[in-house]
Coordinates of all heavy atoms in Angstrom, one line a residue:
S132 N 91.3 50.0 135.5 CA 92.4 49.3 136.3 C 93.8 49.7 135.8 O 94.6 49.9 136.7 CB 92.2 47.8 136.1 OG 93.2 47.1 136.8
Y133 N 94.0 49.9 134.6 CA 95.3 50.4 134.0 C 95.7 51.7 134.7 O 96.8 51.9 135.1 CB 95.2 50.5 132.5 CG 96.3 51.3 131.9 CD1 97.6 50.9 131.9 CD2 96.0 52.6 131.3 CE1 98.6 51.7 131.4 CE2 97.0 53.4 130.8 CZ 98.3 52.9 130.8 OH 99.3 53.7 130.3
L134 N 94.8 52.7 134.7 CA 95.1 54.0 135.2 C 95.4 53.9 136.7 O 96.3 54.7 137.2 CB 93.9 55.0 134.9 CG 93.7 55.3 133.4 CD1 92.5 56.1 133.2 CD2 95.0 56.1 132.9
E135 N 94.7 53.1 137.4 CA 94.9 53.0 138.9 C 96.3 52.4 139.1 O 97.1 52.8 140.0 CB 93.8 52.1 139.5 CG 92.5 52.8 139.7 CD 92.6 54.1 140.5 OE1 93.2 54.1 141.6 OE2 92.0 55.1 140.0
N136 N 96.7 51.4 138.3 CA 98.0 50.8 138.4 C 99.1 51.8 138.0 O 100.2 51.8 138.6 CB 98.1 49.5 137.5 CG 97.2 48.4 138.0 OD1 97.2 48.1 139.2 ND2 96.6 47.7 137.1
L137 N 98.8 52.5 137.0 CA 99.8 53.5 136.5 C 100.2 54.5 137.5 O 101.4 54.9 137.6 CB 99.3 54.1 135.2 CG 100.3 55.0 134.4 CD1 101.5 54.2 134.0 CD2 99.6 55.7 133.2
K138 N 99.3 54.9 138.3 CA 99.6 55.9 139.4 C 100.6 55.4 140.3 O 101.4 56.2 140.9 CB 98.3 56.3 140.1 CG 97.2 57.0 139.4 CD 96.0 57.2 140.2 CE 94.9 57.9 139.3 NZ 93.6 57.9 140.1
I139 N 100.6 54.1 140.5 CA 101.6 53.4 141.4 C 102.9 53.1 140.7 O 104.0 53.4 141.1 CB 101.0 52.2 142.0 CG1 99.7 52.5 142.8 CG2 102.0 51.4 142.9 CD1 98.9 51.3 143.2
E140 N 102.7 52.5 139.5 CA 103.9 52.0 138.8 C 104.8 53.1 138.2 O 106.0 52.9 138.0 CB 103.4 51.1 137.6 CG 102.8 49.8 138.0 CD 103.7 48.9 138.7 OE1 104.9 49.0 138.5 OE2 103.2 48.1 139.6
I141 N 104.3 54.3 138.0 CA 105.1 55.4 137.5 C 106.2 55.8 138.6 O 107.2 56.4 138.2 CB 104.3 56.6 137.1 CG1 105.1 57.6 136.3 CG2 103.7 57.3 138.3 CD1 105.7 57.1 135.0
N142 N 105.9 55.5 139.8 CA 106.9 55.8 140.9 C 108.0 54.7 140.9 O 108.1 53.9 141.9 CB 106.2 55.9 142.2 CG 105.2 57.0 142.2 OD1 105.5 58.2 141.9 ND2 103.9 56.7 142.6
N143 N 108.8 54.7 139.9 CA 109.9 53.8 139.9 C 111.2 54.5 139.6 O 111.2 55.6 139.1 CB 109.6 52.7 138.8 CG 109.7 53.3 137.4 OD1 110.7 53.5 136.8 ND2 108.5 53.5 136.8
N144 N 112.3 53.8 139.9 CA 113.6 54.5 139.8 C 114.2 54.4 138.4 O 115.3 55.0 138.1 CB 114.6 53.8 140.8 CG 114.3 54.1 142.2 OD1 113.7 55.2 142.5 ND2 114.5 53.2 143.1
S145 N 113.5 53.8 137.5 CA 114.0 53.6 136.1 C 113.5 54.7 135.1 O 114.0 54.9 134.0 CB 113.7 52.2 135.5 OG 114.3 51.2 136.3
K146 N 112.5 55.4 135.5 CA 111.9 56.4 134.7 C 112.9 57.6 134.5 O 113.7 57.9 135.4 CB 110.6 57.0 135.3 CG 110.7 57.8 136.5 CD 109.4 58.3 137.0 CE 109.5 59.1 138.3 NZ 110.1 58.4 139.4
H147 N 112.9 58.2 133.3 CA 113.8 59.3 133.1 C 113.4 60.1 131.9 O 112.7 59.6 131.0 CB 115.3 58.7 132.9 CG 115.4 57.8 131.7 ND1 115.2 56.4 131.9 CD2 115.7 58.0 130.4 CE1 115.4 55.8 130.7 NE2 115.6 56.7 129.8
L148 N 113.9 61.3 131.8 CA 113.7 62.2 130.7 C 114.6 61.7 129.6 O 115.8 61.2 129.8 CB 114.1 63.6 131.0 CG 113.1 64.5 131.6 CD1 113.7 65.9 131.8 CD2 111.8 64.7 130.8
K149 N 114.2 61.8 128.3 CA 115.1 61.4 127.2 C 116.1 62.5 127.0 O 115.9 63.7 127.3 CB 114.2 61.2 126.0 CG 113.4 59.9 126.0 CD 114.3 58.7 126.0 CE 113.5 57.4 126.1 NZ 114.4 56.2 126.0
P150 N 117.3 62.2 126.4 CA 118.4 63.2 126.2 C 117.9 64.4 125.4 O 117.3 64.3 124.4 CB 119.4 62.4 125.5 CG 119.1 61.0 125.8 CD 117.7 60.9 125.9
G151 N 118.3 65.6 126.0 CA 118.0 66.8 125.3 C 116.7 67.4 125.4 O 116.4 68.5 125.0
V152 N 115.8 66.7 126.1 CA 114.4 67.1 126.2 C 114.3 68.5 127.0 O 113.6 69.4 126.6 CB 113.5 66.1 126.9 CG1 112.1 66.6 127.3 CG2 113.3 64.9 125.9
D153 N 114.9 68.5 128.1 CA 114.8 69.7 129.0 C 115.3 71.0 128.3 O 114.6 72.0 128.3 CB 115.6 69.5 130.3 CG 115.4 70.6 131.3 OD1 114.3 70.9 131.6 OD2 116.4 71.2 131.7
E154 N 116.4 70.9 127.6 CA 117.0 72.0 126.9 C 116.1 72.4 125.7 O 115.8 73.6 125.4 CB 118.4 71.7 126.4 CG 119.4 71.4 127.4 CD 119.4 70.0 127.9 OE1 118.5 69.2 127.5 OE2 120.4 69.6 128.5
F155 N 115.6 71.4 125.0 CA 114.7 71.7 123.8 C 113.4 72.3 124.2 O 113.0 73.3 123.6 CB 114.5 70.4 123.1 CG 113.8 70.5 121.8 CD1 114.3 71.3 120.7 CD2 112.5 70.0 121.5 CE1 113.7 71.4 119.5 CE2 111.9 70.1 120.3 CZ 112.5 70.9 119.3
I156 N 112.8 71.9 125.2 CA 111.5 72.4 125.7 C 111.7 73.9 126.1 O 110.9 74.8 125.8 CB 110.9 71.6 126.8 CG1 110.3 70.3 126.2 CG2 109.8 72.4 127.5 CD1 109.7 69.4 127.2
K157 N 112.8 74.1 126.9 CA 113.0 75.5 127.3 C 113.3 76.4 126.2 O 112.9 77.6 126.2 CB 114.2 75.5 128.3 CG 113.9 74.9 129.7 CD 115.1 74.8 130.6 CE 114.7 74.2 131.9 NZ 115.8 74.1 132.9
L158 N 114.0 75.9 125.1 CA 114.2 76.8 124.0 C 112.9 77.2 123.3 O 112.7 78.4 123.0 CB 115.1 76.0 123.0 CG 115.2 76.6 121.6 CD1 116.1 77.8 121.6 CD2 115.8 75.6 120.5
I159 N 112.0 76.2 123.1 CA 110.8 76.5 122.4 C 109.9 77.4 123.3 O 109.3 78.4 122.8 CB 110.0 75.2 122.1 CG1 110.8 74.4 121.1 CG2 108.6 75.5 121.6 CD1 110.2 73.0 120.9
Y160 N 109.9 77.2 124.6 CA 109.0 77.9 125.5 C 109.5 79.3 125.8 O 108.7 80.3 125.7 CB 108.8 77.1 126.8 CG 107.8 77.6 127.8 CD1 106.5 77.4 127.6 CD2 108.2 78.4 128.9 CE1 105.5 77.9 128.5 CE2 107.3 78.9 129.8 CZ 105.9 78.7 129.6 OH 105.0 79.2 130.4
H161 N 110.7 79.4 126.1 CA 111.3 80.7 126.6 C 111.8 81.6 125.4 O 111.7 82.8 125.5 CB 112.4 80.5 127.6 CG 111.9 79.9 128.9 ND1 111.1 80.5 129.8 CD2 112.2 78.7 129.4 CE1 110.9 79.8 130.8 NE2 111.5 78.6 130.6
E162 N 112.4 81.0 124.4 CA 113.0 81.8 123.4 C 112.1 81.9 122.1 O 111.8 83.0 121.7 CB 114.4 81.2 123.0 CG 115.4 81.3 124.2 CD 116.8 80.8 123.8 OE1 117.2 81.1 122.6 OE2 117.5 80.3 124.6
L163 N 111.7 80.8 121.6 CA 110.9 80.8 120.4 C 109.4 81.2 120.7 O 108.7 81.7 119.8 CB 111.0 79.5 119.6 CG 112.3 79.1 119.2 CD1 112.3 77.7 118.5 CD2 112.9 80.1 118.2
K164 N 109.0 80.8 121.9 CA 107.7 81.1 122.4 C 106.6 80.5 121.5 O 105.5 81.1 121.3 CB 107.5 82.6 122.5 CG 108.4 83.3 123.5 CD 108.1 84.7 123.8 CE 109.2 85.4 124.6 NZ 109.3 84.7 125.9
Y165 N 106.8 79.3 121.0 CA 105.8 78.6 120.2 C 105.0 77.8 121.1 O 105.4 77.3 122.2 CB 106.5 77.6 119.2 CG 107.2 78.3 118.1 CD1 108.3 77.6 117.5 CD2 106.8 79.5 117.5 CE1 109.0 78.2 116.4 CE2 107.5 80.0 116.5 CZ 108.6 79.4 115.9 OH 109.2 79.9 114.8
P166 N 103.7 77.7 120.9 CA 102.8 76.8 121.7 C 103.2 75.3 121.5 O 103.6 74.9 120.4 CB 101.4 77.1 121.2 CG 101.6 77.5 119.8 CD 102.9 78.3 119.8
M167 N 103.1 74.6 122.6 CA 103.5 73.1 122.5 C 102.3 72.3 123.0 O 101.5 72.8 123.8 CB 104.7 72.8 123.4 CG 106.0 73.4 122.9 SD 107.4 72.9 124.0 CE 107.1 74.0 125.4
G168 N 102.1 71.2 122.4 CA 101.0 70.3 122.8 C 101.5 68.8 122.7 O 102.6 68.5 122.4
L169 N 100.5 67.9 123.0 CA 100.8 66.5 122.9 C 100.1 65.9 121.8 O 98.9 66.2 121.5 CB 100.4 65.8 124.2 CG 101.2 66.3 125.5 CD1 100.5 65.8 126.8 CD2 102.6 65.9 125.4
L170 N 100.7 64.9 121.1 CA 100.1 64.1 120.1 C 100.5 62.7 120.4 O 101.6 62.2 120.0 CB 100.5 64.5 118.7 CG 99.8 63.8 117.5 CD1 98.3 64.2 117.5 CD2 100.4 64.1 116.2
T171 N 99.7 62.0 121.2 CA 100.1 60.7 121.8 C 99.0 59.7 121.8 O 97.8 60.0 121.9 CB 100.6 61.0 123.3 OG1 100.9 59.8 123.9 CG2 99.5 61.7 124.1
G172 N 99.5 58.5 121.8 CA 98.5 57.4 121.9 C 98.0 57.1 123.3 O 97.1 56.3 123.5
N173 N 98.7 57.8 124.2 CA 98.3 57.6 125.6 C 96.9 58.2 125.8 O 96.5 59.2 125.3 CB 99.2 58.4 126.6 CG 100.5 57.6 126.8 OD1 100.6 56.8 127.7 ND2 101.5 58.0 126.1
L174 N 96.1 57.5 126.7 CA 94.9 58.2 127.2 C 95.3 59.5 127.9 O 96.4 59.6 128.4 CB 94.2 57.3 128.2 CG 93.8 55.8 127.8 CD1 93.6 54.9 129.0 CD2 92.6 55.9 126.9
E175 N 94.4 60.5 127.8 CA 94.8 61.8 128.4 C 95.2 61.6 129.9 O 96.2 62.2 130.3 CB 93.7 62.8 128.2 CG 94.2 64.2 128.7 CD 93.3 65.3 128.3 OE1 92.2 65.1 127.8 OE2 93.6 66.5 128.6

Side-chain angles (χ1 to χ4, degrees):
S132 180
Y133 161 69
L134 291 172
E135 287 302 314
N136 289 320
L137 188 60
K138 292 174 186 176
I139 299 169
E140 293 296 330
I141 193 61
N142 297 308
N143 67 79
N144 293 328
S145 296
K146 67 180 183 298
H147 59 270
L148 278 180
K149 288 296 181 176
V152 167
D153 187 53
E154 299 86 345
F155 186 63
I156 287 178
K157 287 178 179 177
L158 169 72
I159 296 173
Y160 187 80
H161 293 294
E162 296 185 33
L163 299 177
K164 301 187 186 300
Y165 291 151
M167 291 183 286
L169 298 169
L170 187 67
T171 174
N173 282 277
L174 302 161
E175 183 169 9

